[in-house]
Amino acid sequence: MINSHVSSFAGLPVLPFTPGMALPDDPSAVAWRLEVEEFDADPEEFAALVRAMRDEVPAETVRAVVVGEWGEAYERALPVDLLVEAAASWTGLRAMFLADLVAEQCEISWLNHGDVTPLLAAYPGLEVLRIRGAQGLRLAPDRHAGLRELRIESGGLPAEVTRGVGAADLPALRRLDLWLGRADYGRDTTPDDLAGVLAGDRLPALRHLAVCNAENADAVAAAVADAAVVPRLEVLDLSMGVLTDAGAATLLAGQPLTHLRRLDLHHHFLSDEAAASVVAALPEVEVDVSDAQSAEVYDGRKYFFTAVGE
């Protein structure tokens, strides 16, 4: 569950745009937030908001945009075409966050998207792309030379998206975060679908890899254990998921992880002994095994949950 909006993005404080507002002295020093007030707003309200920002904020100063509520996000896809049209003006845009909505507005697994691939074609200078929600999401760029960070937060990540990212040439990408989620919220990504990412052939600059919030965390850990991309990583993040003792043992039995700066396993289902063994095996690595979880029992059956689901 996500309960707060971002207050900063891409190193800039977030400032909501309101038509007719007094602009800050330096409009390039903020990340502009675009959001309508009502969850059931007519589509024209968001379109008018984007037009007003294009008219009132000097185009050359727009560096970062955060999109919040666009109106009925639970059933209507974010209107990417409006952002694509703005690309002719916002030539200096370097960072974009799509769907910074919190649980009380729309649960993460209800957020609707369509094909956001045109955004990457429209903004060749984009360096940071963050997407929350994955229902209906499509992302399959052939190549983007400038993207440095890509983060997809979801309660259930479609395999088509995972494969699309793994097949893309992203030579500058240093950080990739994929929240896999749960099958009952749309995840059908398997370790096989991660093959392109874990091979790393098209991600030569990758140094921070998060394959997290995974219901199938043990299977992911097994795939990572021998993944070709791992030796070049500085940070490996398998947090927020259902990692058990078996997954941790498989991870430690694989290739060495002693070169890592950080291994993030927080929110896990490890026993105290297994958690301690990971820390002991990597004395020079910052290992996060905080937020230990216990299975929830209903009618005599154990259930294991990711940190973020619905």
Side-chain angles (χ1 to χ4, degrees):
M1 182 178 294
I2 297 173
N3 293 315
S4 61
H5 296 122
V6 293
S7 59
S8 64
F9 177 58
L12 301 172
V14 174
L15 179 65
F17 172 77
T18 304
M21 68 184 294
L23 300 183
D25 292 338
D26 182 4
S28 69
V30 301
W32 291 102
R33 182 178 182 85
L34 290 167
E35 181 170 57
V36 297
E37 292 186 9
E38 301 297 331
F39 76 94
D40 57 352
D42 184 272
E44 176 54 28
E45 290 188 37
F46 185 77
L49 186 65
V50 175
R51 288 196 299 268
M53 180 171 157
R54 293 180 64 182
D55 289 341
E56 298 177 26
V57 178
E60 69 277 7
T61 69
V62 178
R63 298 287 180 267
V65 169
V66 176
V67 178
E69 176 65 72
W70 57 88
E72 298 187 339
Y74 56 89
E75 64 178 28
R76 186 164 59 227
L78 188 152
V80 169
D81 57 322
L82 296 174
L83 303 174
V84 171
E85 290 169 7
S89 304
W90 296 343
T91 55
L93 187 73
R94 295 294 178 264
M96 187 175 292
F97 184 174
L98 305 180
D100 178 29
L101 279 76
V102 297
E104 65 181 22
Q105 292 176 294
C106 185
E107 296 286 359
I108 190 170
S109 292
W110 301 358
L111 285 168
N112 278 274
H113 292 279
D115 190 356
V116 302
T117 307
L119 280 174
L120 291 178
Y123 293 94
L126 195 67
E127 296 177 356
V128 179
L129 177 60
R130 183 173 175 181
I131 303 168
R132 179 170 293 162
Q135 183 162 283
L137 179 66
R138 295 188 298 281
L139 177 63
D142 292 328
R143 177 181 173 84
H144 193 285
L147 198 64
R148 295 173 58 85
E149 296 183 18
L150 174 61
R151 176 172 171 139
I152 304 175
E153 304 173 357
S154 86
L157 190 64
E160 179 183 4
V161 174
T162 306
R163 292 194 299 266
V165 172
D169 284 318
L170 303 172
L173 196 73
R174 292 187 58 84
R175 175 168 181 166
L176 174 62
D177 293 64
L178 300 174
W179 294 18
L180 302 194
R182 294 163 48 183
D184 52 353
Y185 290 117
R187 176 198 62 80
D188 57 1
T189 292
T190 68
D192 287 344
D193 299 309
L194 288 163
V197 169
L198 297 181
D201 296 337
R202 296 176 174 86
L203 305 170
L206 194 67
R207 297 297 179 267
H208 182 133
L209 175 62
V211 184
C212 56
N213 198 49
E215 181 181 42
N216 56 343
D218 284 354
V220 170
V224 167
D226 297 312
V229 74
V230 169
R232 76 176 73 132
L233 298 180
E234 297 172 1
V235 177
L236 175 61
D237 182 350
L238 303 178
S239 67
M240 300 170 60
V242 184
L243 185 70
T244 71
D245 289 10
T250 301
L251 187 65
L252 290 180
Q255 62 190 303
L257 301 175
T258 52
H259 65 287
L260 293 174
R261 176 172 57 82
R262 176 177 171 81
L263 174 63
D264 191 348
L265 303 179
H266 84 270
H267 186 284
H268 57 78
F269 290 82
L270 303 178
S271 64
D272 291 345
E273 294 76 13
S277 71
V278 176
V279 174
L282 303 170
E284 303 300 320
V285 179
E286 179 187 349
V287 180
D288 187 348
V289 287
S290 63
D291 197 16
Q293 302 290 307
S294 298
E296 298 184 16
V297 179
Y298 297 99
D299 295 328
R301 182 178 176 183
K302 291 183 177 181
Y303 292 86
F304 300 83
F305 297 103
T306 57
V308 177
E310 184 179 19

